[in-house]
Amino acid sequence: MQLDLELYREEAQVEANVRISYIHIAPERPLHTILFVHGFGGRARQWRYQIEQFAIHNEVIGLDLRGHGRSSRPGGGYEMDRILADILAVLRHCDVNRPIVLAGHSYGVAIATEFAWRYPERVSHLILIAGAGEYNILPAYKVMFRLPEPLLRLFQPIANRAMDASLYALQEMYLHNMRHWRGWDKFPELKPKTMVILGNKDRVLPQSAFERVGELVPEGSEVINVGVSAHMVMLERRDAVNRAIERFLEGETAVPTHSRWRSDVEAAGRGGLLAERPWLANYETAVPPTIDVPRLPLTRLLDRAWRRFPNRPAIRFMGRTLSYRSMSAQAARFANGLLSLGIKKEARVMLLLPNLPHLVIAFYGTLRVGGIAVMANPLDPPEELVRQANASGAEVLVTLGRFSKTAIQIKVQSSVRHVIYASVADYLPFTKKLAASLMPSQRRADQLPDQAAGSDFAWSRWLRRFRPEPPRVTVRPEDTAVLQFTSGTTGIPKGIILTHYNLVANTMQVRLWLTDVRDGHEVMMCVVPFSHVYGMTSAMNLAVSVGASMVLLPRFDTEAVLRAIRRNKPTLFPGVPSMYVALNNFPSVRKFGIDSIRACISGAAPLPIEVKETFEKLTKGKLVEGYGLSEASPVTHANPINGRHKAGSIGLPLPSTEARIVDLKTGRPLAAGQIGELVIRGPQVMRGYWQDEAATLDVIDKDGWLHTNDVARMTEDGYFQIISRRQDSWQGEDKKLAFPRDVEEVIYELPEVREVVVVGIANQPVAFVSLKEKTRIPAKTIIQFCQRRLPPSQVPRLVIFVKEFPRSFIGKVLRRELVSQYRQQIRAEGGSVSQHLAGLDDTAVE
């Protein structure tokens, strides 16, 4: 499990002038609390491999000793008593009351030993790594630590290459702590179970200091030599050290594997968790069952990205590249620009943009000032956009100059006071920008409209006026970050309230699901719209969280996508099934180098097995079906990327996500295999609907379960299958419900079929079929094929061929539009749908 540990950094005030900085990760129901103590001149991050490994199933704490790492340097006070008091203070701050596993390295061995000796009731296991029998440093260092502080400051730049503490702090710790410690005399009195991992080749201590440690510990202690290694053994031989710690704690199941969960499934620990969530047994080994979501604003992900990867391309757009440093600076300019307009915390900023650099910059810039991003669909009719602007109370609109007519209508009829007009040319390379400026139509699109007022601005000129440093605005995790309006499938679109915590949680859940993602190395194909929460989380926020390059495309055009793939070699490609269908069927698709794609999560609609297998054959990568809904930020389920995939299944709930199937009428939980409504609970579930408490109470019950309105079932081993939306099903002659997906999977097996959607109309299945180019198949053949494979209640009563399916802007087929078009056609002929379907015989098709 790879984590950005700095997202988990906290501070404890231990004295008036002393703050101890530490990394703290606490998953749900941890097996142990493991505290890591670094050595002389070290820091908590020296334990990064152990923290990442053991945080999967344990609460872990890695602290920076006073004067080290990010902890403050007091004027004095480096005695052992104060160091131990710091540890106790951190444990109190983390609310740790049970005995801990205490691991120390180098001089941290002395500190850990002293703590275990003085507070034996607080320590269950003691792990001593590369410690010394005494801490008599080499003569050259003794001389240096006698120098006055002004001289020490001269040597500090040199020391910074090897040490994570000031020389003054090291001097004080040596003079008042290290040289006085004689703790090896206390080793025989140690009560906790003890393990020693030997180390050598330290720069400060002679080799002879390490040789007696194994002889000094109590009889029965475990002494391990992991082989040739230098002093930083937990870094250089991390796998060996981790295995040794696992074996040492094996009786307590420190790191359960799929076959080593506790046998007592009623226990309160991990076994109890497995009993409640059977899907955990099918998780990949590196995926944690639960995660400790950092309580941070979403903008911290961008802060970490530009600090870790300042020069890495953040955005690749039409041949232009923006680094993470540049993107962050422009988001800061945008934030300062909003402040200049009088925009305050919790003000709403409406973003009406396709996937352009402006959208990423405006999104994070809005969040930097504590504003709320109202994500608008550029394909919605102006009347709906006006309604959403009024419903949200948006004060600023950011959109393209070519949408000026809609923008003017929104401003006139809503609360919007300012419009910022962007242009595609703003982020084009110089040559493309010059060519665009010579085109009259493009020049007009880039200019402010004639009706623009003094409160309207052109993006580039406006942005340059402001500072590139982020403003200092306190944003809390529970603050609202996004208003995402629903698609309006079942009524008027409602505003979904997503907090910073919701979005950080879902971003981390998806990131941990992708077990082989490499921070700072990935390239993300971003064609799924950011203005929908699926694209926002699985493409934009995920990319920022791992320092990936985002290849932006404003819309899905198959050939344009393939050219972008050939040019940028993306490794990750979140999308919807229709995108993968289009790529699968494009002539000579392999010549575009699509084998760079390593992993894809498909959402928004069922992923047919034929589509999955064809795409994986072309790319040699993994394409897995996932599931989510906007009210859950949105991802809740996915099939394992490198684990067991079940055809026709949405996979397993993500870490820290609870899911169950409940009776469609009574709401009581159902056993595995039974069909009912899918309900979900987790940190990604929305706060509620914007200014609509009644609608919120309709979908989120008093226990926090989100009702999805999707009919589903769960297998014994925890895989979930979406059967249908409740309104898309029909009832067979046996009074049992039948569902579209069972029929669609069969029709997809016909090689002529490009895409199929089955809908229940007047309690009869109707199949809408799109064929591949230059192919034909009679509707009668499709019916007969289904008759051989399906029970009578699932055989389509009617087959209707369509060239293209009506879709939402994210690419999801609008089933209601298909039904509406069919109904209108029948009414125009003077009949009713029921009469039309009833009048068909077994072979009558259209």
Side-chain angles (χ1 to χ4, degrees):
M1 180 174 70
Q2 187 178 25
L3 293 171
D4 182 357
L5 299 184
E6 293 304 313
L7 295 176
Y8 292 92
R9 189 171 287 280
E10 302 177 28
E11 284 189 348
Q13 189 82 34
V14 297
E15 292 178 9
N17 64 338
V18 182
R19 295 186 312 278
I20 298 299
S21 179
Y22 61 94
I23 295 165
H24 179 212
I25 306 176
E28 188 178 345
R29 302 188 206 175
L31 291 172
H32 297 283
T33 296
I34 307 178
L35 175 67
F36 294 102
V37 182
H38 64 77
F40 188 66
R43 59 173 177 160
R45 286 187 62 86
Q46 290 175 345
W47 296 100
R48 59 187 178 273
Y49 298 117
Q50 288 69 44
I51 291 174
E52 289 176 350
Q53 173 79 3
F54 291 96
I56 296 177
H57 294 281
N58 302 275
E59 179 180 19
V60 293
I61 304 170
L63 55 80
D64 291 338
L65 297 174
R66 53 174 57 201
H68 292 64
R70 296 200 175 187
S71 292
S72 56
R73 188 193 99 174
Y78 289 85
E79 299 86 356
M80 181 64 76
D81 288 348
R82 297 200 181 190
I83 299 293
L84 299 185
D86 292 347
I87 294 175
L88 290 171
V90 168
L91 291 175
R92 283 195 301 273
H93 205 254
C94 297
D95 197 27
V96 174
N97 299 307
R98 62 176 178 168
I100 63 172
V101 176
L102 185 56
H105 168 256
S106 188
Y107 190 63
V109 164
I111 296 170
T113 299
E114 191 76 25
F115 188 92
W117 182 73
R118 293 199 197 184
Y119 307 104
E121 74 285 355
R122 301 297 304 267
V123 181
S124 63
H125 296 75
L126 186 61
I127 301 169
L128 309 177
I129 300 177
E134 58 181 329
Y135 292 91
N136 184 22
I137 65 174
L138 296 172
Y141 290 96
K142 290 182 180 179
V143 172
M144 184 176 66
F145 289 149
R146 296 289 184 181
L147 297 175
E149 186 175 358
L151 285 178
L152 287 178
R153 283 200 290 267
L154 294 177
F155 291 104
Q156 189 64 54
I158 300 173
N160 287 343
R161 300 172 188 171
M163 300 288 188
D164 290 291
S166 69
L167 289 176
Y168 170 80
L170 296 179
Q171 182 185 61
E172 290 293 303
M173 179 169 277
Y174 172 70
L175 294 176
H176 302 293
N177 188 336
M178 192 173 184
R179 68 173 181 162
H180 299 295
W181 192 73
R182 299 292 183 270
W184 57 84
D185 296 331
K186 301 168 183 175
F187 275 179
E189 301 176 32
L190 292 176
K191 300 287 177 64
K193 188 177 179 181
T194 303
M195 177 179 70
V196 175
I197 298 177
L198 301 177
N200 54 28
K201 296 183 182 178
D202 182 61
R203 294 173 178 170
V204 179
L205 297 168
Q207 176 59 37
S208 59
F210 300 97
E211 295 176 353
R212 292 184 56 232
V213 177
E215 303 169 5
L216 294 171
V217 292
E219 186 177 348
S221 297
E222 191 171 347
V223 180
I224 295 174
N225 191 332
V226 298
V228 177
S229 175
H231 185 60
M232 299 297 288
V233 59
M234 73 282 201
L235 295 177
E236 296 144 357
R237 297 295 310 280
R238 57 184 180 270
D239 292 335
V241 167
N242 289 351
R243 284 195 300 270
I245 295 174
E246 287 175 26
R247 286 194 301 270
F248 181 56
L249 300 177
E250 192 169 16
E252 305 293 335
T253 320
V255 184
T257 63
H258 294 166
S259 60
R260 281 205 290 130
W261 287 85
R262 287 186 177 180
S263 58
D264 181 7
V265 296
E266 299 301 324
R270 299 268 120 165
L273 200 61
L274 179 63
E276 297 169 14
R277 307 175 193 179
W279 52 83
L280 298 180
N282 289 295
Y283 270 21
E284 294 181 54
T285 303
V287 177
T290 65
I291 61 172
D292 182 8
V293 180
R295 302 200 67 83
L296 303 167
L298 185 66
T299 50
R300 187 68 67 85
L301 301 183
L302 178 58
D303 294 338
R304 289 295 302 149
W306 80 259
R307 288 192 174 101
R308 297 167 75 197
F309 314 109
N311 300 316
R312 176 157 173 75
I315 292 175
R316 301 180 185 182
F317 177 70
M318 303 290 189
R320 172 85 180 273
T321 297
L322 285 180
S323 69
Y324 268 101
R325 178 189 282 115
S326 176
M327 188 180 85
S328 178
Q330 295 205 37
R333 289 182 188 273
F334 187 89
N336 288 315
L338 291 180
L339 293 177
S340 76
L341 299 177
I343 298 303
K344 298 179 180 179
K345 190 174 178 181
E346 298 185 356
R348 274 73 72 196
V349 178
M350 193 173 195
L351 306 180
L352 183 62
L353 294 163
N355 282 14
L356 298 171
H358 314 74
L359 179 53
V360 184
I361 291 164
F363 177 81
Y364 282 102
T366 298
L367 301 191
R368 281 202 188 282
V369 297
I372 300 172
V374 181
M375 309 305 287
N377 173 10
L379 301 182
D380 274 346
E383 296 76 19
E384 173 57 24
L385 294 171
V386 169
R387 192 196 69 80
Q388 291 180 14
N390 277 313
S392 64
E395 298 180 44
V396 177
L397 170 65
V398 185
T399 191
L400 284 173
R402 63 190 60 186
F403 298 159
S404 60
K405 288 184 179 180
T406 299
I408 291 167
Q409 184 176 343
I410 292 172
K411 187 176 181 184
V412 169
Q413 300 179 19
S414 75
S415 55
V416 168
R417 297 186 288 116
H418 305 278
V419 181
I420 300 168
Y421 288 101
S423 167
V424 173
D426 291 333
Y427 292 100
L428 291 180
F430 175 76
T431 53
K432 290 184 179 180
K433 185 180 294 189
L434 181 63
S437 68
L438 298 176
M439 298 172 60
S441 60
Q442 181 62 49
R443 268 203 315 273
R444 287 194 298 272
D446 289 346
Q447 293 170 352
L448 288 175
D450 295 336
Q451 301 92 325
S455 56
D456 299 337
F457 309 94
W459 174 277
S460 292
R461 291 196 300 273
W462 181 74
L463 211 62
R464 283 196 295 267
R465 292 162 45 189
F466 305 106
R467 294 181 299 105
E469 292 79 28
R472 294 187 177 182
V473 178
T474 301
V475 182
R476 301 171 302 168
E478 58 271 21
D479 290 342
T480 301
V482 166
L483 274 184
Q484 171 79 60
F485 282 85
T486 61
S487 61
T489 303
T490 58
I492 297 175
K494 297 182 286 291
I496 296 166
I497 301 172
L498 299 176
T499 66
H500 286 263
Y501 181 77
N502 292 149
L503 295 173
V504 169
N506 206 222
T507 300
M508 294 202 62
Q509 288 169 317
V510 176
R511 190 263 171 271
L512 291 172
W513 199 254
L514 300 170
T515 53
D516 61 350
V517 164
R518 303 156 298 170
D519 287 9
H521 290 85
E522 306 297 342
V523 179
M524 181 82 73
M525 175 56 67
C526 298
V527 66
V528 61
F530 294 163
S531 49
H532 188 279
V533 69
Y534 175 48
M536 182 199 310
T537 293
S538 64
M540 180 173 68
N541 291 339
L542 176 61
V544 170
S545 74
V546 300
S549 297
M550 293 177 273
V551 181
L552 302 190
L553 289 176
R555 64 185 181 88
F556 184 85
D557 175 83
T558 310
E559 189 169 357
V561 169
L562 288 170
R563 288 199 303 268
I565 290 173
R566 181 167 56 191
R567 184 168 56 251
N568 297 283
K569 301 188 184 308
T571 57
L572 305 173
F573 183 6
V576 298
S578 60
M579 295 179 181
Y580 306 119
V581 169
L583 295 175
N584 286 349
N585 291 291
F586 194 85
S588 304
V589 65
R590 281 194 175 93
K591 73 179 182 181
F592 291 93
I594 63 173
D595 56 354
S596 68
I597 298 170
R598 204 172 68 250
C600 308
I601 295 181
S602 174
L607 176 68
I609 188 64
E610 297 291 329
V611 176
K612 167 187 166 62
E613 291 178 349
T614 301
F615 189 80
E616 289 185 337
K617 184 178 180 180
L618 290 170
T619 63
K620 304 299 187 292
K622 300 290 184 179
L623 170 60
V624 300
E625 182 172 351
Y627 168 85
L629 61 166
S630 298
E631 288 87 345
S633 303
V635 189
T636 65
H637 293 66
N639 277 277
I641 298 295
N642 298 303
R644 180 185 174 200
H645 175 270
K646 278 197 172 184
S649 166
I650 59 172
L652 313 169
L654 298 189
S656 291
T657 302
E658 299 175 79
R660 61 171 56 157
I661 306 299
V662 300
D663 187 271
L664 291 167
K665 294 181 179 178
T666 66
R668 65 176 180 82
L670 298 176
Q674 293 186 285
I675 293 176
E677 183 185 11
L678 172 64
V679 297
I680 294 160
R681 185 167 64 182
Q684 71 271 54
V685 170
M686 67 172 182
R687 180 189 292 166
Y689 291 119
W690 179 255
Q691 298 178 345
D692 196 339
E693 186 176 353
T696 301
L697 293 175
D698 282 343
V699 298
I700 301 179
D701 64 28
K702 59 183 177 61
D703 295 318
W705 290 97
L706 173 66
H707 290 253
T708 67
N709 202 38
D710 281 324
V711 179
R713 62 180 158 225
M714 184 188 78
T715 62
E716 291 282 351
D717 50 1
Y719 281 79
F720 285 74
Q721 180 188 19
I722 296 296
I723 308 297
S724 171
R725 295 291 287 176
R726 292 176 90 162
Q727 61 266 33
D728 292 335
S729 61
W730 63 92
Q731 197 174 61
E733 294 179 359
D734 55 1
K735 303 299 182 182
K736 292 183 178 180
L737 288 178
F739 303 102
R741 182 154 187 169
D742 295 330
V743 185
E744 291 167 354
E745 290 286 1
V746 170
I747 296 177
Y748 264 114
E749 294 179 20
L750 293 166
E752 296 86 356
V753 172
R754 181 177 185 272
E755 200 165 1
V756 58
V757 172
V758 174
V759 182
I761 304 176
N763 209 41
Q764 297 285 347
V766 175
F768 296 85
V769 177
S770 170
L771 299 178
K772 295 176 183 177
E773 290 186 11
K774 299 179 182 180
T775 63
R776 297 192 65 178
I777 182 173
K780 182 177 179 179
T781 302
I782 297 175
I783 295 287
Q784 292 173 342
F785 184 72
C786 291
Q787 287 172 336
R788 293 194 297 270
R789 300 286 305 279
L790 295 167
S793 63
Q794 294 183 9
V795 175
R797 186 69 172 165
L798 179 66
V799 173
I800 300 175
F801 292 104
V802 296
K803 289 185 177 180
E804 294 292 338
F805 286 103
R807 300 182 186 278
S808 68
F809 78 108
I810 199 174
K812 188 174 183 178
V813 174
L814 297 174
R815 293 171 183 257
R816 68 181 186 276
E817 292 293 332
L818 288 172
V819 175
S820 176
Q821 291 171 14
Y822 168 63
R823 290 183 186 276
Q824 289 175 9
Q825 178 184 342
I826 298 303
R827 290 194 186 106
E829 296 173 359
S832 71
V833 171
S834 299
Q835 291 171 343
H836 180 251
L837 292 174
L840 299 175
D841 59 32
D842 290 341
T843 60
V845 293
E846 296 184 358

